[in-house]
Amino acid sequence: MSSFTSPDILSHLPIEAIQPSQLLYLLPIGFVAWALYHLSIGFYNLTLHPLAGYPGPLLARSSTLWYAGALARGTIAQDLLALHDKYGDTVRITPDEISFIDPKNWKEIYGYRGGKVEMIKDPRYHDTVKPTPTILTGDYDQHNYYRKVLSAPFSEIALKKNEHILHEFVDKWVYRVKELGQNGTKRIDATDWFNFLTFDLIGYLAYGEEFNCMTNSRLHDWIEASLAMATLMTLGQAARQLPYPFDKIYKAWAIPEYVYRHTKMHRTLVEEQVNSRLGKDPKHMDFLQRMIEIYKAGNLDFPTLSEHASLLTIGGSETTATLLAGAVYFLAKDPKVYGKLTKEIRTRFADEKEMNLINLSQCKYLLGVVEESLRIYPPSPANHTRMVPQGGATLEGKHIPGGYCVSMPMYGSFNAKSNWAQPTRFAPERWTGEEPETFGRDRKEALKPFSFGPRNCLGQQLANHEVRLVIAKMAWHFDLELMSESIGWEQQTSYTFWKKLPLYVKMIPRKN
Ligand code: HEM
């Protein structure tokens, strides 16, 4: 026991000497001292702090309140964009963090840094939901090891081998959408139906088991539980930015009880699923196969196995469902764009069965639709903060000392006026080269929705293949009509992921 908590020491404190009436004086004095202390820190942050020269709003340069507020409100993605549009490519978003949107900084912040030490993730980012290190949260060695263990099923060869699984699930989606939409007479909620599809698919790819969301037209409890966990992560990040005791007060006040309940439920569901997977041998090489072999050989513990199962399930389904919902919203909103897409798909193929991962990767307009959806509505919209290592880093020609934070906000970089012409327009032509006079000066290297460098997305190829196939089959089978109640759908908050609203569309079987 530490001497601080020793009752013996406490008994020597002259507590009894303080009269209740004296507290009336001591409390305000304490408050004034506390306020003066924070004011002096704020003054230091604005004047003598090593990052004092960077532009940004007064509240963000002097305290962490601006950043904590944006995280708590769920507007961090849009707020960072607004700051960059106002202050330029480089903005100070907390006293200790600089945000960049010029694409040349991807390499130094997230890349291999030419043999120098890789920048680590800011530990405050994952702390709330990190019971055990994973590929996402582990240190350099842990990350390298888990990445190697998990990589095999994500290779192009393995994906090609499992291509028939993608087709089976997407065909079932088409069938169910036709059935539920009563041949285009009834609206469907595309947000739900993409979650059903991607969750069913990830269940099969990760555990060799179907979750039956499409069969039951019902979200698995797991989806809601995992979104609660993502909310907890963001609110935890907000709390961590606040000074003591406001961090504790905020956490107790702002995080609803249901978030903790769902987070607990999430862990139970993952553990049940992993236990069920341990008892059988799936027909194909699923995502967990290699890790399970290591677990069975006694070289990995159960919490590590189940944490990885959890992150593959969420990372592999929610992100892809979000991208698909965003694509459908922007396509349904602009019949001219959707018309160009359907023309490409319906003329390129004589039969739906001709579609495969290789020839879809040659459909220029389809690829443009996917890139543009990732740009305008990135599934992981916020900034993925990194810490500058000892010795510092040079960014935009300026030295940033070790220990400070740097980041590139996804939504901000992908929608900033200085990176893109007409950033609010959904224009696949930006990527096809059809309008060089308008989009020729876009800084296209800014688009890195799967992040960059050694910790970029392991599922990038799978996600790209899956999304191309779904959009192509949708364009093959359906015309789209956006319901008036879903106009403005993209105005959403985000807590790690977007809080997606229902997306009501009619998917009308094509006539010709
Ligand atoms: C459109 C879909 C997707 C997007 C936009 C996306 C985005 C990202 C991003 C931005 C990261 C980096 C996170 C960070 O720095 O903290 C990441 C990492 C990761 N993603 Fe994805 N992801 C997608 C789909 C998938 C899929 C389908 C899977 C697998 C089933 C997956 C598995 C992973 C894994 C394992 C990591 C950690 C990689 C590492 O740290 O080495 N993702 N993803």
Side-chain angles (χ1 to χ4, degrees), residues 110 121 125-126 134-137 143 147 150 154 202 205 287 308 311-324 374 378-380 384 386 410 448-460 462-464 466-467:
Y110 300 92
K121 291 184 178 179
Y125 195 77
H126 289 286
T134 61
I135 183 171
L136 211 59
T137 59
H143 171 259
R147 180 117 183 168
L150 290 171
F154 295 98
I202 210 74
L205 291 175
F287 294 165
H308 281 91
L311 88 83
L312 287 171
T313 309
I314 306 174
S317 64
E318 179 57 27
T319 45
T320 319
T322 298
L323 177 56
L324 286 165
L374 284 162
S380 179
H384 297 79
R386 297 291 194 264
M410 296 261 176
K448 300 270 183 277
F450 297 96
S451 196
F452 181 79
R455 289 187 181 241
N456 72 351
C457 178
L458 188 59
Q460 175 168 354
L462 168 65
N464 271 324
E466 187 179 337
V467 167

Side-chain angles (χ1 to χ4, degrees), residues 10-20 22:
L10 286 178
S11 68
H12 286 86
L13 290 174
I15 305 272
E16 68 283 359
I18 300 172
Q19 300 299 315
Q22 288 174 310

Side-chain angles (χ1 to χ4, degrees), residues 102-126:
D102 186 320
K104 68 172 176 289
N105 297 303
W106 279 110
K107 202 166 155 215
E108 182 67 5
I109 299 176
Y110 300 92
Y112 291 96
R113 307 184 69 235
K116 288 178 272 174
V117 185
E118 188 186 308
M119 290 199 193
I120 58 160
K121 291 184 178 179
D122 178 356
R124 281 171 300 189
Y125 195 77
H126 289 286

Side-chain angles (χ1 to χ4, degrees), residues 15-143:
I15 305 272
E16 68 283 359
I18 300 172
Q19 300 299 315
S21 60
Q22 288 174 310
L23 269 178
L24 279 177
Y25 297 103
L26 286 178
L27 275 178
I29 289 171
F31 176 75
V32 169
W34 180 88
L36 280 175
Y37 170 70
H38 283 287
L39 275 175
S40 61
I41 291 182
F43 180 72
Y44 165 80
N45 288 338
L46 291 172
T47 53
L48 300 170
H49 190 288
L51 307 181
Y54 287 91
L58 184 72
L59 193 61
R61 287 184 289 126
S62 56
S63 75
T64 50
L65 290 179
W66 181 89
Y67 191 61
L71 285 171
R73 286 190 304 274
T75 54
I76 184 73
Q78 295 92 335
D79 291 351
L80 288 174
L81 169 63
L83 284 196
H84 279 287
D85 278 345
K86 181 167 177 191
Y87 293 96
D89 283 359
T90 306
V91 182
R92 190 173 175 203
I93 58 172
T94 75
D96 296 344
E97 179 165 346
I98 307 293
S99 173
F100 298 86
I101 57 164
D102 186 320
K104 68 172 176 289
N105 297 303
W106 279 110
K107 202 166 155 215
E108 182 67 5
I109 299 176
Y110 300 92
Y112 291 96
R113 307 184 69 235
K116 288 178 272 174
V117 185
E118 188 186 308
M119 290 199 193
I120 58 160
K121 291 184 178 179
D122 178 356
R124 281 171 300 189
Y125 195 77
H126 289 286
D127 260 5
T128 328
V129 290
K130 192 189 68 173
T132 180
T134 61
I135 183 171
L136 211 59
T137 59
D139 62 23
Y140 182 83
D141 291 331
Q142 288 162 333
H143 171 259

Side-chain angles (χ1 to χ4, degrees), residues 274-457:
V274 173
N275 274 320
S276 147
R277 166 65 182 82
L278 286 173
K280 59 178 188 250
D281 252 335
K283 286 179 242 133
H284 61 280
M285 181 191 190
D286 66 24
F287 294 165
L288 290 177
Q289 185 163 314
R290 181 78 193 106
M291 216 168 226
I292 285 176
E293 283 164 14
I294 299 171
Y295 167 74
K296 285 188 171 166
N299 295 324
L300 193 91
D301 57 22
F302 187 78
T304 305
L305 175 62
S306 87
E307 266 312 301
H308 281 91
S310 158
L311 88 83
L312 287 171
T313 309
I314 306 174
S317 64
E318 179 57 27
T319 45
T320 319
T322 298
L323 177 56
L324 286 165
V328 163
Y329 172 72
F330 287 100
L331 288 169
K333 209 171 127 192
D334 191 338
K336 219 171 113 199
V337 171
Y338 193 55
K340 280 177 89 170
L341 175 68
T342 52
K343 190 170 168 213
E344 178 180 67
I345 298 297
R346 294 175 194 177
T347 52
R348 170 82 168 72
F349 302 102
D351 191 296
E352 181 195 4
K353 290 195 180 64
E354 288 175 9
M355 287 182 200
N356 62 44
L357 302 186
I358 292 176
N359 56 29
L360 286 177
S361 69
Q362 289 149 7
C363 293
K364 239 169 127 181
Y365 204 76
L366 172 67
L367 300 191
V369 165
V370 175
E371 291 297 272
E372 191 64 349
S373 307
L374 284 162
R375 183 191 71 77
I376 208 161
Y377 186 65
S380 179
N383 47 336
H384 297 79
T385 306
R386 297 291 194 264
M387 281 180 99
V388 176
Q390 256 188 4
T394 303
L395 287 150
E396 300 282 355
K398 283 191 188 165
H399 178 76
I400 299 188
Y404 292 106
C405 290
V406 289
S407 56
M408 308 243 338
M410 296 261 176
Y411 185 78
S413 302
F414 307 167
N415 287 277
K417 286 186 196 133
S418 59
N419 281 345
W420 311 91
Q422 304 179 2
T424 54
R425 183 180 148 201
F426 181 77
E429 292 74 10
R430 201 184 291 282
W431 305 97
T432 57
E434 282 164 84
E435 292 183 35
E437 65 295 345
T438 311
F439 301 120
R441 278 197 298 280
D442 277 359
R443 298 201 278 195
K444 296 203 173 56
E445 331 78 74
L447 187 73
K448 300 270 183 277
F450 297 96
S451 196
F452 181 79
R455 289 187 181 241
N456 72 351
C457 178

